Amino acid sequence: MKLNVHISNKPTATPTIVSFRRNLRDLSADQYSSLVTDNMPPPGSFSSLNVNDATDTLCSTLSSCLDNLCPLTSRAISSSKPQPWLKNDTLRELRSKLRAAERKWQKNKKQADLKNYQLLLASFSANLTTAKAEFYHNKFCSLTDSRKLFATFKSLLNPPPPPPATCLTAETLASFFTGKVAAISNQFTDAQCSSPTTSSTARCPSTEGVAFSSFTPLTENETLALLTRSRPTTCPLDPIPSNLLQTIAPAIIPAITHTINASLTSGVFPTAFKQAHVTPLLKKPSLNPAQVDNYRPVSLLPFLSKTLERAVLNQVSGFLSQNDLLDQNQSGFKKGHSTETALLSVTEALKTARAAGQSSVLILLDLSAAFDTVNHDFLLTILSNMGIADNVLSWFRSYLTGRSFKVSWQGQLSSARSLSTGVPQGSVLGPLLFSIYTTSLGQVVRSHGFSYHCFADDTQLYLSFSPEDHSISARISQCLSDISSWMKEHHLQLNLSKTELLVIPAKPFFQHNFSISIDSLSLS
């Protein structure tokens, strides 16, 4: 007799995600500040350090003192997000007391401990119910849009299913991000890689005889203002939480000021600040989280690195503004401008045209990984032709080269990947550098009689015309063809499959049927 026994494989257990945290609530800022001051080198000794040694000494001292007073502890975390009504200090305190009472009762098994636990459980449940009711009451009262109101009701009656499990890893995502940029860069021929066109890099007339060749060192008060007025964003690369750094800043401002000024005067960007942590985010909530191409990389950079960048941004922006070198039709990351100014500029132009009995066409350009494919040599040439020279130009060269990133994903950290192109998206200077890189695009657009407005890498072209004008299709095709050529020269990829065209007729009964084909692709 033969007996066949089939043993099924056990389901693979989901790996536990471990988080590391500090009990910062019990940390005394004064005690920490004193410890940092005692462990920093004497001012005379620290002021003699070069930029990299000063940066490393400052960061390591901040980090080691925090480890001494408030060491990291590990804890397994749930993959699900906490409910919003649990973000309540009263509930957190009650839950802590409840867990402590439960542990005490399980350890001693005393009737008094059980009774205390039950009383705390009843109190926590009552407060939880109240907090949940208040959360939804406030949410419903704040909703004035009927669509959002019914969507909220729908989410309560039919909660969305949990997202499907994904087998993506940090290494997979890192390889995808680098591979996407490499695939775009490899499309350009050797001839296109030599140098940008003369019109793109010719020296601006307004900068003839004018140059920005050196930074002005910061005073301690200016450095303190930069630190304290910035939003305290913290990432894993920061030696200490940014709000704590702002709290103790008056005690260590001489060291921070020297570190920033050492970078500005030497033309060297600190090596310690050249690495980024990349967090992948879904492009849209409705997309499948198991597909790697549905994610976009978001760079997280150290707070001190962004403080140094703000010091540079203030001085470079001042030079560019004084010499009228910034594109007037760029609203991205410019003082006094926003998405609202971009929207108002375009919509008012379209309304004015319609009031004058003209039809309009609006074209929304889409670029693939625009910030990540900026060519460093081209950018430095453009900066040079704008009057950026000597020490300042060396600083930007140092800022762009030798950068790398690691992908952080579900408790994993990928290996470091080097970057040979692009400007950091999560940086302070990235948007300005991209705007400078694409300044000459406006000349191409205007040469075809089109108007335009930009917000960072989003560009809107628009043209108003007489409804009887039958040459519009050819003008659109020629303009987009020249824009596509300009993009290729600058190693940017125009994504025609996602570029959209909107026609606004002068009168509702007018019909405009445009057939636009660029590079064998039809525009919708």
Side-chain angles (χ1 to χ4, degrees):
M1 182 178 179
K2 186 177 181 181
L3 181 63
N4 293 324
V5 179
H6 175 71
I7 302 176
S8 60
N9 294 326
K10 293 183 179 180
T12 305
T14 303
T16 303
I17 301 175
V18 178
S19 70
F20 295 89
R21 56 186 300 174
R22 303 179 192 271
N23 185 18
L24 295 172
R25 293 183 180 181
D26 297 334
L27 178 67
S28 169
D30 291 337
Q31 184 183 6
Y32 176 70
S33 178
S34 299
L35 185 61
V36 171
T37 305
D38 293 340
N39 282 270
M40 287 288 289
S45 174
F46 190 87
S47 61
S48 65
L49 298 176
N50 63 41
V51 57
N52 281 319
D53 290 342
T55 303
D56 294 342
T57 301
L58 175 61
C59 291
S60 62
T61 303
L62 291 171
S63 178
S64 61
C65 290
L66 187 62
D67 287 337
N68 188 6
L69 292 179
C70 191
L72 279 172
T73 57
S74 61
R75 186 181 72 168
I77 61 174
S78 172
S79 57
S80 59
K81 293 183 179 179
Q83 299 295 349
W85 52 84
L86 289 175
K87 298 177 180 179
N88 180 302
D89 289 338
T90 303
L91 282 177
R92 286 173 176 169
E93 185 178 353
L94 282 172
R95 184 165 56 182
S96 297
K97 291 180 179 178
L98 177 64
R99 288 173 174 169
E102 182 181 15
R103 289 193 296 269
K104 186 177 180 181
W105 168 65
Q106 289 180 341
K107 182 179 179 180
N108 300 329
K109 297 297 182 180
K110 292 181 180 180
Q111 194 66 26
D113 293 335
L114 175 59
K115 187 175 181 179
N116 183 46
Y117 166 65
Q118 291 172 337
L119 288 173
L120 287 172
L121 179 60
S123 175
F124 177 76
S125 299
N127 278 273
L128 180 64
T129 302
T130 302
K132 187 175 180 179
E134 288 179 354
F135 171 80
Y136 280 108
H137 175 77
N138 294 333
K139 188 175 181 69
F140 290 137
C141 289
S142 65
L143 292 174
T144 56
D145 187 344
S146 59
R147 292 186 178 181
K148 292 182 179 179
L149 182 63
F150 282 106
T152 304
F153 271 114
K154 185 178 179 181
S155 67
L156 282 172
L157 299 174
N158 301 295
T166 172
C167 59
L168 298 178
T169 64
E171 290 293 341
T172 303
L173 288 158
S175 298
F176 170 74
F177 293 143
T178 52
K180 181 179 180 180
V181 174
I184 295 174
S185 300
N186 291 338
Q187 295 178 7
F188 306 113
T189 63
D190 293 337
Q192 292 168 335
C193 290
S194 58
S195 63
T197 59
T198 304
S199 62
S200 299
T201 60
R203 187 168 178 85
C204 303
S206 59
T207 61
E208 292 295 339
V210 178
F212 182 41
S213 56
S214 62
F215 293 109
T216 302
L218 302 187
T219 65
E220 292 183 4
N221 287 336
E222 288 172 335
T223 305
L224 185 61
L226 276 179
L227 271 175
T228 54
R229 293 175 185 173
S230 302
R231 190 163 63 93
T233 56
T234 302
C235 83
L237 296 171
D238 284 303
I240 64 172
S242 301
N243 55 355
L244 179 59
L245 179 64
Q246 290 178 328
T247 302
I248 69 163
I252 59 170
I253 205 64
I256 298 176
T257 303
H258 168 72
T259 303
I260 291 177
N261 287 338
S263 175
L264 299 180
T265 56
S266 66
V268 175
F269 187 76
T271 304
F273 293 161
K274 291 187 178 184
Q275 187 180 96
H277 267 213
V278 168
T279 302
L281 291 182
L282 271 178
K283 296 177 182 178
K284 295 180 181 178
S286 58
L287 296 176
N288 183 1
Q291 293 184 1
V292 68
D293 55 345
N294 288 337
Y295 290 88
R296 65 160 54 94
V298 177
S299 296
L300 303 177
L301 297 168
F303 181 71
L304 281 173
S305 169
K306 292 190 284 187
T307 302
L308 170 57
E309 289 186 52
R310 285 188 183 93
V312 171
L313 177 71
N314 291 341
Q315 297 190 34
V316 173
S317 296
F319 169 78
L320 297 175
S321 299
Q322 289 170 10
N323 293 280
D324 196 25
L325 296 172
L326 295 173
D327 192 337
Q328 297 299 316
N329 295 319
Q330 171 66 257
S331 286
F333 307 96
K334 189 194 298 184
K335 187 176 181 180
H337 293 70
S338 66
T339 51
E340 288 186 50
T341 57
L343 181 64
L344 286 170
S345 175
V346 175
T347 54
E348 286 305 306
L350 297 177
K351 287 180 180 180
T352 302
R354 193 168 191 182
Q358 291 185 311
S359 297
S360 298
V361 61
L362 174 66
I363 304 171
L364 310 175
L365 301 182
D366 184 87
L367 303 180
S368 298
F371 275 55
D372 298 325
T373 55
V374 169
N375 183 284
H376 292 167
D377 291 335
F378 291 7
L379 176 57
L380 291 169
T381 301
I382 294 169
L383 285 169
S384 176
N385 289 326
M386 282 185 164
I388 305 297
D390 300 338
N391 193 62
V392 178
L393 189 63
S394 297
W395 190 94
F396 277 108
R397 182 177 290 106
S398 176
Y399 173 79
L400 292 169
T401 56
R403 303 192 74 99
S404 64
F405 75 94
K406 294 181 179 180
V407 171
S408 177
W409 174 256
Q410 294 185 347
Q412 303 174 351
L413 197 62
S414 74
S415 57
R417 306 298 175 99
S418 60
L419 295 169
S420 58
T421 61
V423 291
Q425 290 198 47
S427 64
V428 174
L429 287 170
L432 174 66
L433 292 175
F434 185 82
S435 299
I436 291 172
Y437 191 72
T438 56
T439 300
S440 62
L441 176 61
Q443 301 172 16
V444 178
V445 176
R446 288 191 296 268
S447 68
H448 292 276
F450 280 71
S451 300
Y452 70 97
H453 205 94
C454 306
F455 189 90
D457 60 334
D458 290 325
T459 303
Q460 296 84 41
L461 316 178
Y462 52 97
L463 175 69
S464 299
F465 55 92
S466 169
E468 290 78 23
D469 191 341
H470 300 293
S471 66
I472 300 304
S473 291
R475 290 180 65 183
I476 295 173
S477 297
Q478 187 59 50
C479 181
L480 289 179
S481 177
D482 286 352
I483 288 174
S484 179
S485 298
W486 183 95
M487 294 287 180
K488 291 176 182 177
E489 287 180 358
H490 289 75
H491 294 194
L492 300 175
Q493 179 172 288
L494 179 63
N495 192 345
L496 289 171
S497 63
K498 291 185 178 180
T499 293
E500 298 176 348
L501 184 147
L502 176 68
V503 180
I504 301 110
K507 300 292 182 182
F509 54 83
F510 284 159
Q511 295 293 327
H512 299 283
N513 295 316
F514 295 131
S515 177
I516 311 296
S517 296
I518 304 293
D519 295 342
S520 72
L521 288 175
S522 296
L523 200 63
S524 303

